[in-house]
Amino acid sequence: MGLLEHKVALVTGAGRGIGRAIALKLAGDGADIAAVDLKPEFCAETCDMVRAMGRRAWAYGADVASAAAVEQTVEKALADAGKVDILVNNAGITKDTLLMRMSEADWDAVLNINLKGAFLFTKALARAFVKQRSGRIVNIASVIGLVGNAGQCNYAASKAGVIGLTKSVARELASRSVTSNAIAPGFIETKMTAVLGEDVRRKLLNQIPLGRLGSAEDVANAALFLASDQAAYITGQVLTVDGGMVM
Ligand code: NAP
């Protein structure tokens, strides 16, 4: 029997990369999946893969930065699945450039999707979690939110914000047995990091004690643990999944 038998997980940015890996990992341990991406067709393939594993799956299109879209999506997911037990706030973007060149639009886009998106989904599901006296919130932050990075002040601020959100929600909802934790991935092989040049890649590898970039599955394994009953006594924490880069 899987760790998440009879559970329903809502995963944002589930169409590819880390979000898809998390959806498949949770489904592999028994969860049904409410998959969210900008358009339903973007996560249709993920849903097909979940169904092929014998689990139920629903695809929703929503911009995580839109309060109205998030509220509608949560309403629909609660109606379709009957309940939601696990929320994974994974959708995220980068718009990297040096501070002095960064436009207000680049700042707003990254903060709106990475930070406000996590706030909106958490708020939209909080009532259901409190009512059912259980819930798991897993936010995908980044090591950049811990240490900062030249050229990523918008992204670093958004991910540091996600960590603050995670801890505050953990304190607010703990009395109802709802946990809230973050994962801070290091450099993971996805479309987001595919743009890195060979030179940057080589320099990065020198900073990673385990000597390789991470896989989306490395992050998904941590998400499965934090989403399960095995992590019932863990809340307000940031689990770094980065091959030892930040310690
Ligand atoms: P990715 O391959 O670019 O996937 C991001 C997913 O989020 C895509 O499915 C994308 O949909 C979706 N998305 C983007 N904006 C959205 C919006 N406004 N509303 C709904 N969905 C939206 O990225 P990834 O590498 O898997 O990253 C996933 C998360 O991990 C992000 O939060 C990222 O910051 C974090 N992270 C990644 C790394 C890494 O090294 N890759 C390291 C640390 C943290 P579309 O297909 O429509 O674009």
Side-chain angles (χ1 to χ4, degrees), residues 13-19 36-38 42 62-65 90-93 113-114 140-143 155 159 185-193:
R16 58 180 155 92
I18 293 171
V36 181
D37 216 305
L38 272 175
F42 291 171
D63 177 354
V64 299
N90 163 81
I93 62 163
I113 292 171
N114 297 8
I140 307 304
S142 167
V143 291
Y155 185 76
K159 295 302 188 178
F187 285 88
I188 309 297
E189 300 270 16
T190 67
K191 201 171 169 192
M192 192 177 265
T193 48

Side-chain angles (χ1 to χ4, degrees), residues 17-38:
I18 293 171
R20 171 179 284 183
I22 290 174
L24 297 180
K25 179 62 68 174
L26 302 188
D29 253 74
D32 294 331
I33 303 295
V36 181
D37 216 305
L38 272 175

Side-chain angles (χ1 to χ4, degrees), residues 73-87:
T73 301
V74 165
E75 241 172 66
K76 276 192 244 160
L78 286 170
D80 290 340
K83 61 169 186 166
V84 173
D85 304 285
I86 298 157
L87 166 64

Side-chain angles (χ1 to χ4, degrees), residues 169-208:
V169 169
R171 289 187 186 277
E172 276 192 36
L173 302 186
S175 64
R176 302 295 190 273
S177 303
V178 177
T179 69
S180 166
N181 291 288
I183 296 172
F187 285 88
I188 309 297
E189 300 270 16
T190 67
K191 201 171 169 192
M192 192 177 265
T193 48
V195 291
L196 299 175
E198 260 319 302
D199 203 35
V200 179
R201 216 165 252 272
R202 213 168 319 112
K203 280 190 194 136
L204 272 174
L205 282 177
N206 282 334
Q207 298 168 38
I208 302 173

Side-chain angles (χ1 to χ4, degrees), residues 71-128:
E71 278 161 29
Q72 277 171 20
T73 301
V74 165
E75 241 172 66
K76 276 192 244 160
L78 286 170
D80 290 340
K83 61 169 186 166
V84 173
D85 304 285
I86 298 157
L87 166 64
V88 183
N89 282 310
N90 163 81
I93 62 163
T94 53
K95 283 194 182 291
D96 300 350
T97 191
L98 294 172
L99 170 70
M100 281 189 276
R101 288 197 201 129
M102 190 172 288
S103 68
E104 187 181 356
D106 286 348
W107 173 270
D108 286 346
V110 170
L111 269 289
N112 282 341
I113 292 171
N114 297 8
L115 179 55
K116 190 170 127 188
F119 156 68
L120 291 174
F121 264 104
T122 305
K123 184 179 170 194
L125 272 167
R127 197 178 299 276

